C-alpha cells in the first residue's frame, strides 16, 4: 500500500462520524409513506387500495 | 426477529411490507448510513439525510436485485442524498472545514504530530477538491472501508472498473497534492 493510501486509511480511522440511535425516528416516518403512495388500482370495481404501493400488483 | 437471521430474508419480508423486518435492517445499517452521510457532506444534515435515505430505501426496496447486498445499495442512496444537499458551492466549500475540525490527532511526538497533522490536513483538503465521482470512490474504499465488491455494487459497475476508477482518483489526488505543495 502506498503512503497516500496509508494516510487515507488513517483519515478513515479517525473520522468521528455521529452514531446516534435513529431507529425510532426513521420508523416513525415509514408508516406515513404507504398512505401517501397508495392508489386505487385501475380496473377494479371495489376501489380496493393496494397495500403494497411500491410494487405493481395485478388485481384480478 | 425470531427465526430470521439472513439479510436476504429480512429484505424479502420488508418488501412484502413487514415493518419489523425493515426495522431490523435499520438497526443493522444505521451506523454505516450515518458515517456515509457524514463523509458525503462533512457533517451537514446527517440525520436528515439518513432518514430520507431509509425512507427511499423502504419505498424502492423491490428494486434490490436478488443476490445484491443491502448495505452498498443503501449507502449509494445516502451518497445521492448527500450530493443533492451539496449542490450549492457555499456548502461544498464548507466540506473541508467541517471534516478537518473533527479529526483527532494522537501524536508520538510534538514534531511528528505537527508533520502528520499537516500531512493529513493536506490530503483531506485535496480529497475535498476532487469531483464527486473521485471523492466518492475514495470515500467508499478508505473512509467506509467497503470492499471492492461492495463498492462495485454501490456504483453499479464491475469490480475491474472500481480498480481503474480508484487508480485514476488516486492519480488526480496525487497531482492535486503536488500542485498544492508547489504553489
Amino acid at each position: 500500500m502506498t503512503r497516500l493510501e496509508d494516510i487515507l486509511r488513517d483519515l478513515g480511522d479517525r473520522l468521528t462520524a455521529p452514531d446516534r440511535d435513529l431507529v425510532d425516528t426513521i420508523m416513525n416516518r415509514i408508516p406515513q409513506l404507504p398512505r401517501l403512495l397508495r392508489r386505487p388500482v385501475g380496473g377494479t370495481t371495489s376501489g380496493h387500495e393496494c397495500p403494497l404501493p411500491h410494487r405493481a400488483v395485478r388485481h384480478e | 426477529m425470531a427465526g430470521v437471521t439472513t439479510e436476504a430474508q429480512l429484505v424479502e419480508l420488508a418488501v412484502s411490507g413487514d415493518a419489523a423486518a425493515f426495522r431490523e435492517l435499520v438497526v443493522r445499517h444505521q451506523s454505516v448510513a450515518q458515517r456515509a452521510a457524514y463523509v458525503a457532506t462533512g457533517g451537514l444534515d446527517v440525520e436528515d439525510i439518513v432518514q430520507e435515505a431509509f425512507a427511499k430505501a423502504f419505498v424502492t426496496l423491490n428494486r434490490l436485485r436478488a443476490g445484491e447486498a443491502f448495505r452498498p445499495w443503501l449507502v449509494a442512496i445516502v451518497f445521492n442524498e448527500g450530493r443533492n444537499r451539496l449542490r450549492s458551492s457555499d456548502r461544498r466549500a464548507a466540506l473541508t472545514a467541517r471534516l478537518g475540525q473533527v479529526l483527532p490527532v494522537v501524536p508520538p511526538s510534538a514534531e511528528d504530530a505537527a508533520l502528520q497533522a499537516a500531512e493529513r490536513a493536506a490530503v483531506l483538503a485535496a480529497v475535498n477538491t476532487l469531483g464527486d465521482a473521485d471523492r466518492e470512490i475514495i470515500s467508499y474504499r478508505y473512509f467506509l472501508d467497503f470492499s471492492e465488491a461492495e463498492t462495485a455494487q454501490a456504483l453499479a459497475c464491475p469490480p475491474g472498473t472500481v480498480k481503474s476508477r480508484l487508480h485514476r482518483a488516486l492519480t488526480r489526488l496525487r497531482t492535486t497534492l503536488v500542485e498544492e505543495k508547489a504553489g
Side-chain angles (χ1 to χ4, degrees), chain A residues 3 5 7 9-12 14 16 18-27 29-30 52 54-55, chain B residues 15-16 19 23 30-31 34-35 38 47 51-52 54 58-59 62 102-104 106 119-120 141-142:
Chain A
R3 174 69 186 145
E5 289 176 283
I7 294 171
R9 288 209 188 280
D10 188 35
L11 282 168
R14 290 168 182 274
T16 52
D19 193 10
R20 296 185 59 192
D21 185 358
L22 300 176
V23 175
D24 288 338
T25 307
I26 290 166
M27 293 308 295
R29 279 185 68 157
I30 300 299
L52 300 171
H54 53 286
R55 278 187 159 215
Chain B
V15 167
S16 65
R23 184 186 183 92
Q30 63 168 333
S31 289
Q34 288 180 68
R35 189 173 176 83
Y38 183 80
E47 290 187 20
Q51 288 178 50
E52 190 62 29
F54 272 110
F58 179 80
V59 172
N62 59 327
V102 298
L103 295 180
V106 184
E119 203 173 34
R120 276 194 299 270
R141 294 291 278 143
Y142 299 107

Side-chain angles (χ1 to χ4, degrees), chain B residues 17-162:
Chain B
D18 187 329
F22 190 77
R23 184 186 183 92
E24 181 60 24
L25 288 170
V26 174
V27 167
R28 293 184 186 194
H29 298 287
Q30 63 168 333
S31 289
V32 73
Q34 288 180 68
R35 189 173 176 83
Y38 183 80
V39 166
T41 67
L44 177 73
D45 298 343
V46 168
E47 290 187 20
D48 277 349
I49 289 171
V50 169
Q51 288 178 50
E52 190 62 29
F54 272 110
K56 288 189 175 172
F58 179 80
V59 172
T60 60
L61 196 51
N62 59 327
R63 295 186 199 167
L64 186 62
R65 287 192 284 269
E68 283 191 334
F70 181 78
R71 186 172 92 135
W73 182 74
L74 172 71
V75 168
I77 297 174
V78 171
F79 269 113
N80 197 42
E81 283 301 308
R83 251 181 271 124
N84 292 340
R85 303 276 173 146
L86 282 183
R87 289 288 182 225
S88 85
S89 58
D90 287 344
R91 290 185 158 191
R92 182 64 190 271
L95 245 188
T96 300
R98 282 199 190 92
L99 276 180
Q101 282 166 13
V102 298
L103 295 180
V105 176
V106 184
S109 73
E111 192 179 333
D112 286 344
L115 285 170
Q116 287 176 18
E119 203 173 34
R120 276 194 299 270
V123 169
L124 187 59
V127 168
N128 289 326
T129 65
L130 297 176
D132 284 345
D134 285 349
R135 198 161 54 80
E136 283 181 14
I137 197 164
I138 285 174
S139 296
Y140 276 116
R141 294 291 278 143
Y142 299 107
F143 298 163
L144 299 179
D145 205 24
F146 268 34
S147 68
E148 196 173 87
E150 286 178 307
T151 305
Q153 185 193 319
L155 297 178
C157 67
T161 303
V162 168

